[in-house]
Amino acid sequence: MSDYKKTILFDEHEVLGAKMVPFAGFMMPLQYDGILKEHNYVRNSSGIFDVSHMGEFFIYGKNAKKFIQMVTTNDVENIVPGKAQYSAFCNPEGGIIDDLIIYHLGDQYMLVVNAANIEKNYSWLQKNLIEGVTLENKSEKYSLLALQGPKSSESLLKIFPKISTLSYYETLLPDENQVIIARTGYSGEKGYEIYVPNDLAREIWRRILDLSDHIHPVGLGCRDSLRLEMGYCLYGNELDEKTSPIESGLGWITKLSTNFIGSEKLIDRKPKKNLVSLISEEKAIPRSGYEVFDKQKNHIGFVTSGGMSPMLKKGIALASVKKENSVENEFYIKIRDKYFLFNKTKLPFYKEGTYLDD
């Protein structure tokens, strides 16, 4: 365990009886009461995650917007102060270095990146830095709490009343304590991500848990099942440096006209594979890495993420398949030497999420 980093809340998790596991170089809570229970807490009431392993980069200076436009795939011109945007970094060949969220904080931007990619991303941004831009890595200075669920706002309002003004993908500017609260998250439910300086993390964690019996501590296990039900991508599964955003179903955040790094290659690069969303009526639980076949049992791809949907009680999967096969509606996934029928479906798998609710 000594080889892994600990978040500021590590002791809090141990007191609450969390099962701690290594993840992205950190010891993180996998579960407290069980993944299925915690999944249902978030879908029906609210759960609070410690996701302080995520990375936070701050960018400011007269050319900050120009720089972010150059290094990210989405169009940063579309966000004004108080708005957030989902985006990605691409390498010169058009492969995905990471996915991220950009927060426009008025006089600066905050880029939130995946924990396993912090050092890689920071080095890449430094390499491409332009004049008139300052880049700071504050990942070790900030903790991140995510309160997610349909009852999240009614509780959090008691501590942070200004969140009443936030719609989906909007953010409050830093307050006098440098706390940043955004209506973002990766659960598909109404929720908030709370970026706090480390010295305030324990206090705010405890205050949130004391707000209501409807708030439960939840771990990374249900974070993964929640995001899968929504069809959200995960770096290392759907996304990697050999896969383009087009091939990962992220064409909607890929604005080739902005001339970001890798865009020229993407203009000419014809997709060789596509991401499809699959669901089965059979008793089948697909897992990452399982092989995918067409109706003639020809191998055409593999599952990138899969599992049993706790809400739908069906096997669901995201799968990367050959482009020419992605138009088909029927696929087979091989599980323990048996072929199970999966049908293509539209995302999200779970359609009752409250993330867009007022």
Side-chain angles (χ1 to χ4, degrees), residues 1-31:
M1 187 180 296
S2 60
D3 293 336
Y4 295 97
K5 296 179 183 178
K6 298 177 182 178
T7 72
I8 296 298
L9 299 174
F10 179 87
D11 293 341
E12 302 288 321
H13 303 314
E14 288 209 313
V15 168
L16 292 168
K19 179 181 179 181
M20 307 298 291
V21 297
F23 182 81
F26 288 78
M27 289 302 297
M28 298 296 296
L30 177 68
Q31 57 180 306

Side-chain angles (χ1 to χ4, degrees), residues 69-70 72-73 90 254-256 258-263 266:
Q69 191 78 296
M70 181 184 76
T72 63
T73 63
C90 278
T254 309
K255 313 301 184 184
L256 298 177
T258 64
N259 297 316
F260 60 85
I261 293 173
S263 61
L266 289 177

Side-chain angles (χ1 to χ4, degrees), residues 36-53:
L36 184 58
K37 275 188 178 181
E38 292 169 26
H39 186 106
N40 280 281
Y41 291 156
V42 175
R43 286 280 181 247
N44 298 300
S45 53
S46 56
I48 183 168
F49 299 84
D50 174 15
V51 279
S52 303
H53 59 313

